[in-house]
Amino acid sequence: MNVTEQSNNISEHFDKEKHLIFGYTPTCGTCKVSERMLDIANEITKLPITKLDLNVLPEFNQQHEIQSVPILMIMSYGKEVKRLYAFQSVTNLLENLKN
């Protein structure tokens, strides 16, 4: 997916009451583990999710003051309501997604 396609995807779910933006970098091992935990948790919650390679979106990183990866932004109608940098476990992730 190129930069333009990723940029267009960012606002794809802004019409939803709750949606997720998952930021990662392809070479990050923790990101791969976190993405798998997120995929498992999202099999239960079934929330719309946008996954972004933050290596190619420096403006997004700066605009949202992203400090590290992986990052999960829990969104409501395009506004950030919570962010997670450490997923810890699927159970912990589910708790954060349900609230």
Side-chain angles (χ1 to χ4, degrees), residues 6-69:
Q6 283 210 55
S7 296
N8 291 340
N9 284 348
I10 292 170
S11 59
E12 177 183 6
H13 301 295
F14 278 15
D15 61 334
K16 305 286 191 294
E17 182 179 353
K18 191 179 226 180
H19 63 99
L20 309 172
I21 295 177
F22 175 71
Y24 68 94
T25 58
T27 58
C28 166
T30 305
C31 295
K32 289 177 182 23
V33 172
S34 298
E35 183 176 18
R36 182 67 189 128
M37 284 195 286
L38 178 58
D39 289 344
I40 291 167
N42 209 33
E43 286 175 20
I44 296 165
T45 61
K46 306 235 185 284
L47 293 169
I49 185 166
T50 302
K51 296 181 180 181
L52 302 174
D53 176 355
L54 296 180
N55 276 343
V56 298
L57 296 169
E59 307 84 23
F60 182 84
N61 297 335
Q62 190 171 10
Q63 179 184 357
H64 294 280
E65 299 177 355
I66 293 173
Q67 298 163 1
S68 66
V69 291

Side-chain angles (χ1 to χ4, degrees), residues 65-82:
E65 299 177 355
I66 293 173
Q67 298 163 1
S68 66
V69 291
I71 180 171
L72 180 65
M73 300 167 71
I74 302 171
M75 311 289 287
S76 180
Y77 297 111
K79 303 271 190 252
E80 181 181 343
V81 292
K82 189 173 196 175

